[in-house]
Amino acid sequence: MAGLLPPLKPITIKERLSILFIDKGQLDVLDGAFVVVDKNGVRTHIPVGGVACLMLEPGTRVSHAAVALAARVGTLLVWVGEAGVRLYSSGQPGGARADRLLYQARLALDDDLRLKVVRKMYAMRFGEEPPSRRSVEQLRGIEGARVRQTYQLLAKKYGVEWKARNYDTSEWDKGDIPNRCLSAATACLYGVTEAAVLAAGYAPAVGFIHTGKPLSFIYDVADVFKFETVVPVAFRIAAKNPHNAEQQVRLGCRDAFRETRLLERIIPTIEEMLAAGEITPPTPPEESVAPAIPNPESLGDAGHRS
Amino acid sequence: MLVIVLENAPPRLRGRLAVWLLEIRAGVYVGNYSAKVRDNIWKQVEEGIEQGNAVIAWRTNNEAGFDFMTLGANRRIPVEMDGAKLVSFLPLDDGTVL
């Protein structure tokens, strides 16, 4: 009996492909590799360890072994609807760093600290300091107006007829083309953002501007990048009005992510936002007990399990 | 850019490499990773190659623009010539060149 292979470990998010979409097929593990088997028995290998998140469209079935492998290499599995609207998401058991979670929670719970972080988020997003002495509520109002204006400007630039942002998932087909393209595009952005937030060891639900949703923090982080990455892509495709708009949007998003080096920037950006609170991450209390079995060294990000 | 070629390798190693790399032909794997990840992948090959043999080549900033290393017995062996890394092709055991 020959020796076993070394254990599988995640690699950093910044070295990965952004997203891969998989439709129709059985996801399984063959000889230790992640494969999609279609109904004709055609096998397609997916380099799962080199992808930030896998978007599973309707028509996919996933075996237990496949999910276990994805988790082991720290890849997020995101179940999406036909048009790229998120249905449900699960995946890598990441985000498991108590020090970061406590740090994030402390920033979110203290109103002064939260305001600092929110101001930083707006500053990063609009490239200038927001007006001083405003509450989070007031800032949100200013942001809303500014976002509507930005949509108008970009729609004009790409020659798209734009009324308002509207995403009623129950009446998907009634949404106009620009809105549907935008929803498909933001779903891509949320996928990679969630993978990065989990990999960095933070909690997706603990938001600063957005609250009360499982992905509140994801929306906060994604908003910083939204107008430079996915919105132009969505409007550019919408202006052409092709029959397979959603698919084109996804391909466009992937190019946009590569061009803007999104995966390299996303975790440092999160750190920078939270650093605006000007507190240091908590140190473990003196009487705390260190792990009996220390974690093995890993190439992955801080929140990846190794 | 990084390329690994395996010959006579056990299936579980081939599957393992497909976790990060694309198998574009039988036993030929390509990908694009940092030195650290490359070392990690190569460690997997070292542990799992058994009786087979393997070669890895990657882009780097030297004169040739790439470097490579090998593992296991093969008739092609790397040689150093005037500072350049080349490959010598050994004759068969019975002395025929071919």
Side-chain angles (χ1 to χ4, degrees):
Chain A
M1 173 67 195
L4 292 172
L5 291 170
L8 272 171
K9 285 179 186 168
I11 62 173
T12 53
I13 291 290
K14 68 173 181 218
E15 286 205 41
R16 304 183 185 212
L17 283 175
S18 55
I19 38 177
L20 273 185
F21 280 84
I22 297 172
D23 66 341
K24 295 184 192 69
Q26 170 88 33
L27 277 64
D28 212 336
V29 174
L30 290 177
D31 292 333
F34 199 91
V35 292
V36 186
V37 187
D38 74 7
K39 70 172 195 291
N40 298 320
V42 176
R43 300 190 309 204
T44 309
H45 280 252
I46 308 288
V48 67
V51 182
C53 71
L54 279 183
M55 307 288 253
L56 308 184
E57 293 183 80
T60 54
R61 296 162 151 257
V62 193
S63 74
H64 182 282
V67 176
L69 179 59
R72 231 168 257 143
V73 295
T75 300
L76 183 73
L77 299 180
V78 181
W79 277 262
V80 295
E82 199 157 358
V85 193
R86 155 185 261 100
L87 296 176
Y88 181 68
S89 150
S90 158
Q92 68 142 346
R97 277 276 297 250
D99 55 343
R100 310 234 169 176
L101 296 176
L102 292 170
Y103 173 53
Q104 186 187 4
R106 187 163 168 204
L107 288 166
L109 284 170
D110 185 312
D111 283 342
D112 289 340
L113 299 182
R114 186 163 73 98
L115 182 58
K116 281 189 195 172
V117 174
V118 169
R119 288 181 61 84
K120 181 71 184 176
M121 284 173 170
Y122 285 138
M124 293 173 99
R125 189 165 166 190
F126 299 119
E128 61 181 41
E129 283 296 315
S132 57
R133 286 198 291 280
R134 298 290 196 283
S135 67
V136 171
E137 196 52 49
Q138 286 168 318
L139 286 175
R140 196 179 292 150
I142 297 169
E143 178 243 357
R146 203 156 171 173
V147 164
R148 281 192 293 279
Q149 201 186 359
T150 313
Y151 275 131
Q152 288 288 357
L153 278 172
L154 282 172
K156 204 169 169 190
K157 183 178 167 195
Y158 289 97
V160 177
E161 198 187 322
W162 180 252
K163 293 191 227 25
R165 183 79 177 108
N166 164 33
Y167 36 92
D168 185 350
T169 48
S170 60
E171 291 188 290
W172 178 251
D173 288 329
K174 288 197 181 146
D176 55 9
I177 293 282
N179 266 299
R180 285 164 54 180
C181 287
L182 261 180
S183 296
T186 49
C188 298
L189 181 60
Y190 295 152
V192 287
T193 307
E194 185 175 359
V197 166
L198 287 171
Y202 296 103
V206 181
F208 293 82
I209 300 170
H210 299 84
T211 49
K213 289 265 182 87
L215 298 182
S216 298
F217 190 49
I218 309 304
Y219 303 141
D220 284 354
V221 176
D223 275 351
V224 172
F225 302 102
K226 197 180 263 177
F227 287 103
E228 63 163 310
T229 52
V230 298
V231 178
V233 172
F235 281 171
R236 197 185 66 230
I237 308 286
K240 285 188 238 156
N241 197 7
H243 72 281
N244 55 351
E246 274 105 3
Q247 192 200 8
Q248 295 223 11
V249 166
R250 282 179 221 142
L251 297 181
C253 284
R254 205 152 57 193
D255 290 342
F257 294 159
R258 200 186 58 239
E259 279 157 20
T260 57
R261 308 179 86 80
L262 181 71
L263 262 48
E264 283 169 45
R265 291 162 53 206
I266 204 157
I267 292 179
T269 301
I270 295 169
E271 305 290 350
E272 195 185 336
M273 276 174 192
L274 298 183
E278 292 169 334
I279 57 168
T280 47
T283 48
E286 270 176 41
E287 70 279 14
S288 65
V289 180
I293 303 165
N295 287 332
E297 211 175 298
S298 170
L299 294 180
D301 292 296
H304 276 136
R305 288 188 188 177
S306 49
Chain B
M1 186 75 183
L2 128 80
V3 180
I4 295 178
V5 179
L6 302 183
E7 282 173 355
N8 189 24
R12 70 156 167 254
L13 175 62
R14 298 182 53 177
R16 177 57 68 87
L17 291 191
V19 168
W20 302 282
L21 304 167
L22 210 58
E23 189 174 8
I24 52 171
R25 282 289 181 274
V28 181
Y29 298 82
V30 291
N32 188 18
Y33 292 110
S34 69
K36 226 171 170 179
V37 174
R38 189 207 317 139
D39 287 346
N40 189 45
I41 293 174
W42 189 242
K43 211 173 285 160
Q44 313 265 342
V45 179
E46 286 172 343
E47 295 287 328
I49 192 67
E50 295 178 15
Q51 303 308 310
N53 68 84
V55 60
I56 181 172
W58 64 92
R59 221 202 88 86
T60 183
N61 200 11
N62 62 12
E63 211 184 353
F66 67 93
D67 201 356
F68 65 96
M69 58 184 171
T70 61
L71 197 67
N74 192 288
R75 289 173 69 200
R76 289 168 213 274
I77 53 162
V79 288
E80 189 91 4
M81 270 188 187
D82 280 346
K85 209 168 170 187
L86 303 173
V87 172
S88 289
F89 191 49
L90 301 183
L92 287 167
D93 288 343
D94 60 6
T96 46
V97 180
L98 220 102

